[in-house]
């Protein structure tokens, strides 16, 4: 029997994480959960592993903070790419190369990095065009496949590039 096992939406992930945190007898704010999701991604298996690390790290503490998440959780590769694009947008060449070398040190193949960068710039162009057309965040999320909580970040990043620049970057990537 074939069954579709799709990705969970943001609210489901928030509730699931909150339930896990409560089971451990800890407290966490919604803002910290959103930061956690931004850092580790939306893959439930990865979320579970990162939560286990987080619970071990805050063993004696009652509340999980954003600082705890920053200290112990591993940044998902797509977030590294997002940060690299931020550095490019800010004309910080040294920082962008630093992210690139970090990805190479993590044994990410150069072609995969290029593919992820290309995907990132394609998403930025899509978000820019859809925002210009007047779509709201929820619609943009559904049309691009970006989690709704991340659309704002993509919109902010897209503002730093013109539509022509984004199109040129995609042509160069191809």
């Amino acid at each position: 029997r074939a069954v579709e096992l799709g990705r969970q939406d943001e609210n489901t992930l928030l509730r699931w994480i909150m339930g896990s945190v409560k089971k451990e007898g800890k407290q966490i704010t919604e803002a910290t959960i959103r930061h956690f999701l931004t850092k580790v991604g939306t893959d439930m298996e990865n979320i579970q592993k990162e939560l286990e690390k987080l619970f071990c790290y805050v063993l004696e503490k009652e509340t999980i903070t954003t600082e705890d998440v920053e200290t112990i959780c591993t940044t998902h590769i797509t977030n590294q790419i997002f940060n690299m694009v931020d550095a490019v947008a800010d004309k910080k060449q040294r920082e962008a190369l630093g992210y690139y070398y970090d990805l190479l040190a993590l044994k990410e193949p150069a072609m995969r990095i290029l593919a992820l960068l290309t995907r990132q710039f394609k998403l930025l162009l899509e978000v820019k065009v859809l925002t210009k057309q007047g779509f709201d965040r929820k619609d943009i999320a559904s049309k691009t496949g970006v989690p709704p909580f991340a659309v704002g970040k993509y919109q902010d990043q897209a503002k730093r590039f013109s539509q022509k620049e984004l199109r040129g970057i995609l042509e160069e990537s191809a």
Side-chain angles (χ1 to χ4, degrees), residues 93-116:
Q93 182 179 11
R94 188 174 303 235
E95 189 177 325
L97 284 172
Y99 285 117
Y100 176 71
Y101 293 131
D102 288 348
L103 290 167
L104 288 178
L106 293 170
K107 305 272 192 259
E108 283 299 326
M111 288 308 291
R112 178 171 157 83
I113 296 169
L114 176 61
L116 288 169

Side-chain angles (χ1 to χ4, degrees), residues 125-141 143 151 155 163:
L125 181 58
E126 288 175 354
V127 167
K128 187 169 202 69
V129 168
L130 291 171
T131 300
K132 211 181 240 186
Q133 291 174 354
F135 287 96
D136 66 7
R137 286 184 181 191
K138 187 177 178 184
D139 290 333
I140 292 173
K143 287 181 183 301
V151 170
Q155 286 174 320
Q163 200 168 326

Side-chain angles (χ1 to χ4, degrees), residues 38-71:
T38 301
K39 186 163 179 75
V40 304
T42 58
D43 175 39
M44 291 179 81
E45 185 177 356
N46 190 50
I47 289 171
Q48 185 62 43
K49 288 177 184 174
E50 292 298 325
L51 280 174
E52 286 176 26
K53 284 177 18 185
L54 197 53
F55 295 149
C56 290
Y57 181 74
V58 298
L59 198 57
E60 303 297 320
K61 293 172 62 176
E62 192 175 304
T63 303
I64 298 171
T65 65
T66 303
E67 290 77 26
D68 297 328
V69 171
E70 273 303 308
T71 302

Side-chain angles (χ1 to χ4, degrees), residues 80-99 157 160-161:
Q80 287 281 72
I81 298 294
F82 193 90
N83 293 338
M84 187 189 306
V85 171
D86 259 348
V88 168
D90 292 339
K91 309 283 191 267
K92 296 179 180 173
Q93 182 179 11
R94 188 174 303 235
E95 189 177 325
L97 284 172
Y99 285 117
Q157 203 174 58
R160 297 188 288 192
F161 294 94

Side-chain angles (χ1 to χ4, degrees), residues 12-35:
T12 303
L13 290 174
L14 287 170
R15 285 193 313 273
W16 183 62
I17 292 168
M18 188 63 80
S20 295
V21 170
K22 284 188 191 224
K23 244 192 278 186
E24 289 292 322
K26 307 284 182 204
Q27 294 179 348
I28 191 168
T29 65
E30 186 176 323
T32 302
I33 294 175
R34 289 181 189 281
H35 178 76

